[in-house]
Structures are given as structure tokens and as C-alpha cells.
Amino acid sequence: PLAPKGSNSEHQFVNTLLMVDLGMTPMAAIKSATAAPAEMLGMSCKIGVIAPGAYADVIAVSGDSLREIKAKRESFAGT
């Protein structure tokens, strides 16, 4: 798995799922875990983005994560 079970990435993903369960759109939930904190820290050019020179942890999944965000947990759970 890309993120071992129990890792910070898994916890962040679970939080993202909870935000969606509570009514946020998948895109808004993803941004709240990536771009929004980067902006608050004044680091939006280095973190929270996928861009040349930026720091990034990237996960590739099959399908459309915005439509099937709950189905993507296996990428973090190691199944």
C-alpha cells in the first residue's frame, strides 16, 4: 500500500470521508485537506498543489475519485 494502515495519510483520508458524509462535496473535502491548509500557512506555492518544485505525496487511483471517493479507501487500507 502507498500509505500504511494507521498512518497519518489514512487518518486524513478518514477525515475527508467524514466531511463528505456530513455534506461537503468530495472536491471541497479534498481541498480542505490540501490547498486550504497550505494557504493558511502561507505555503500554497510549495504544498497543497501538484506543480513543478512543490512538495507532494501523490496517490493514483483507478476511476473517478470525485464520484467514488468512499471506494478509494482500499488505497489507504492496504487491501
Side-chain angles (χ1 to χ4, degrees), residues 23-71:
M24 290 179 82
T25 66
M27 179 57 84
I30 291 168
K31 284 184 176 180
S32 74
T34 57
E39 284 184 34
M40 290 176 61
L41 293 170
M43 299 184 67
S44 58
C45 64
K46 285 288 184 189
I47 60 173
V49 296
I50 299 174
Y55 304 107
D57 291 324
V58 179
I59 181 170
V61 295
S62 61
D64 183 348
S65 295
L66 295 179
R67 295 183 67 190
E68 304 168 13
I69 193 165
K70 291 181 183 180

Side-chain angles (χ1 to χ4, degrees), residues 1-2 5-7 19 24 29 36 41 50-51 57 68 70 72-73 76 78-79:
L2 295 177
K5 189 165 183 65
S7 70
M19 288 183 246
M24 290 179 82
L41 293 170
I50 299 174
D57 291 324
E68 304 168 13
K70 291 181 183 180
K72 302 308 174 196
R73 183 176 171 90
F76 291 89
T79 58

